[in-house]
Amino acid sequence: MKILVIGSGGREHAICQSLAKDPITTEIHCAPGNPGIASLATLHQINTEDGEAVAQLAKTIGIDLVVIGPEVPLIAGVADVLRQHHIPVFGPNKAAAQLEGSKAFAKEVMRAACVATADARVCTTPQEAAAALDLFGPPYVVKDDGLAAGKGVVVTIDRAEALAHAAACARVVIEEFLDGPEVSLFGISDGATVIPMDPAQDYKRVRDNDEGPNTGGMGAYSPLPWAPADIKEEVRRTVLQPMIDEMAKRGTPFAGLLYAGLALTSKGIKIIEFNARFGDPETQVLLPRLTTPLATLLLDAATGNLAGKQIEFSSDAAVTVVIAAEGYPEHVITGAQITLPSENSLSKSSATIFHAGTEEVDGRLVGAKGRLLTITGVGANLEEARKIAYATTSQITIAGAHFRTDIASLKQESMKPAAKDERMNP
Ligand code: AMP
Ligand code: GLY
């Protein structure tokens, strides 16, 4: 099977690596890809938000399955165009991707599907925003309604900061603060059946101890030894299946990956957000643990054949650490030279270096975006996986770059509901 992967991040690198392990895969192509993905796939430079351009490329190379990694092409309707051309695609159509594209739409579908989430108000004026802040009280949660790459959310006890964020966005969702640890739980769906993957935990704040602004994600681990044993089945039954059923009922079925970002609150599981694609960096810990062949699984999802299928994971643990460029997430400085450990020392370690925002300029590997590399360690337990990931991370040199040192350190705080004032922006 010939597969075309759309995207250029650490997530797509992990997807390509996992696809390559499935015997059904004969060729992997990627657009646009990155220097790490180039070792697994043939790269193509096209406009990946242009559905016709993606369809033409797929037809020219005789692609059997297109896998769309990021949200931007999904929300632009690239999957719609591929389906019109009868090309199997893993990723939802534009209408279904609105579960990620609009927080207000996601809330409306959750209400219809009776899925528990934070109580919220959609506000377009400073007066409405002020009233909603006072209704819910601190800590205040103010979200830009549109796409913001994980950076459009402000959680703060400072009312003036909350009001300022609302004023800076055209339309905001202001909502109740959810206490409790966050979990990322992904369901793979063909539009009717949905199968949960193992839970993972992502670290959203830029600095150790959950300090600093929100980012796209600074690290992740899986599985979660502290999570309730039945979390997958509970989330499938109370969250994923009701959402898939509701989208099908509306005539806009969701076929692809439904990412539930949830909080285990003192009042039960509540949804923080949905995404319409694999999470980054959670994918870099989930796929190295996946034992079900990925290409076959994604083809089954793309062709309506998931009923009765299973998704299996090894009992190993995986930890991933994101190395970000100087200034990320606020003022990213690009162009820093990246020096990786030698092939020899890498081959002795069981760590994998996934490329994210890297590029090659005049034969040198340099930083091109905010998140540069994701380093995954796999081991018999989290402690071992963590040691492997950090041992390789410490051998990488990039001027000004930074990473969190507390990924998967599993301090008590990550297992217990956070105290209200621990979750604010500085
Ligand atoms: P989102 O883009 O909706 O995932 O929000 C980014 C991050 O903001 C989440 O991962 C949480 O850490 C935090 N957050 C969002 N909504 C809430 C909420 N209602 N209560 C507490 N924290 C939240
Ligand atoms: N890890 C967060 C995201 O993918 O949005």
Side-chain angles (χ1 to χ4, degrees):
M1 183 160 76
K2 292 188 186 180
I3 308 171
L4 170 61
V5 176
I6 302 298
S8 63
R11 163 185 52 211
E12 287 76 21
H13 193 171
I15 290 172
C16 288
Q17 189 198 55
S18 193
L19 290 172
K21 286 189 204 147
D22 186 338
I24 197 181
T25 303
T26 53
E27 276 178 33
I28 306 177
H29 295 260
C30 186
N34 66 36
I37 296 174
S39 62
L40 296 161
T42 308
L43 305 191
H44 302 270
Q45 301 309 315
I46 56 163
N47 176 3
T48 56
E49 286 162 46
D50 175 351
E52 287 298 339
V54 177
Q56 275 322 311
L57 174 65
K59 284 190 173 173
T60 310
I61 12 183
I63 288 295
D64 303 295
L65 173 69
V66 179
V67 178
I68 302 179
E71 62 276 21
V72 175
L74 292 169
I75 289 163
V78 170
D80 304 55
V81 179
L82 292 168
R83 289 192 172 95
Q84 280 154 18
H85 283 275
H86 306 288
I87 300 167
V89 52
F90 181 79
N93 276 358
K94 181 177 181 157
Q98 282 304 305
L99 284 181
E100 173 163 3
S102 163
K103 294 193 187 280
F105 173 74
K107 287 277 180 198
E108 197 257 303
V109 179
M110 281 187 264
R111 208 171 303 124
C114 297
V115 168
T117 183
D119 190 13
R121 298 287 179 277
V122 180
C123 308
T124 50
T125 67
Q127 291 75 17
E128 283 173 1
L133 293 177
D134 294 336
L135 172 68
F136 297 121
Y140 303 107
V141 181
V142 182
K143 303 184 173 190
D144 190 343
D145 184 43
L147 270 190
K151 286 158 240 156
V153 178
V154 165
V155 181
T156 178
I157 54 166
D158 181 347
R159 191 169 179 278
E161 188 191 352
L163 272 176
H165 185 56
C169 309
R171 197 162 109 117
V172 289
V173 174
I174 292 181
E175 65 180 37
E176 164 200 4
F177 177 84
L178 299 177
D179 60 358
E182 282 181 44
V183 173
S184 302
L185 208 142
F186 304 163
I188 304 266
S189 182
D190 59 6
T193 297
V194 59
I195 311 176
M197 300 184 86
D198 270 9
Q201 193 172 46
D202 175 21
Y203 289 71
K204 299 251 157 118
R205 301 289 181 140
V206 72
R207 286 195 288 279
D208 283 8
N209 300 314
D210 285 338
E211 286 173 7
N214 269 320
T215 69
M218 292 299 291
Y221 67 95
S222 175
L224 312 181
W226 48 268
D230 61 350
I231 188 168
K232 278 165 79 168
E233 177 50 23
E234 167 95 0
V235 172
R236 188 198 65 76
R237 190 174 55 80
T238 63
V239 176
L240 299 173
Q241 194 67 58
M243 292 298 287
I244 294 297
D245 291 347
E246 176 62 25
M247 293 303 285
K249 196 170 104 190
R250 292 171 181 231
T252 51
F254 186 102
L257 189 137
L258 184 59
Y259 167 139
L262 45 95
L264 303 182
T265 76
S266 44
K267 295 182 202 131
I269 290 173
K270 289 200 185 187
I271 293 298
I272 293 177
E273 63 162 349
F274 283 109
N275 291 320
R277 38 121 192 129
F278 279 102
D280 190 339
E282 295 94 321
T283 302
Q284 291 92 306
V285 289
L286 286 172
L287 295 186
R289 297 185 50 239
L290 182 74
T291 52
T292 302
L294 184 67
T296 311
L297 176 67
L298 300 187
L299 181 67
D300 283 344
T303 53
N305 287 309
L306 277 186
K309 301 279 162 64
Q310 308 262 324
I311 303 183
E312 311 275 2
F313 289 87
S314 77
S315 59
D316 287 341
V319 172
T320 202
V321 179
V322 171
I323 304 186
E326 183 173 359
Y328 178 80
E330 288 114 334
H331 308 289
V332 175
I333 297 178
T334 58
Q337 175 144 357
I338 299 173
T339 310
L340 300 178
S342 68
E343 287 295 330
N344 190 24
S345 74
L346 257 187
S347 63
K348 286 190 205 130
S349 150
S350 50
T352 306
I353 299 176
F354 293 115
H355 287 236
T358 67
E359 67 178 338
E360 251 164 30
V361 176
D362 302 330
R364 290 182 319 137
L365 190 65
V366 298
K369 289 183 201 154
R371 292 188 293 176
L372 302 171
L373 300 165
T374 323
I375 296 86
T376 298
V378 177
N381 52 46
L382 284 174
E383 206 184 311
E384 204 181 301
R386 183 169 194 275
K387 272 190 200 142
I388 293 167
Y390 275 111
T392 296
T393 300
S394 66
Q395 293 172 38
I396 297 171
T397 38
I398 310 169
H402 56 100
F403 57 87
R404 281 184 63 156
T405 64
D406 62 349
I407 306 300
S409 65
L410 294 204
K411 287 178 304 211
Q412 285 306 102
E413 300 91 276
S414 65
M415 298 179 230
K416 280 198 258 158
K420 286 210 158 188
D421 60 356
E422 277 175 7
R423 302 278 297 272
M424 57 192 185
N425 270 328

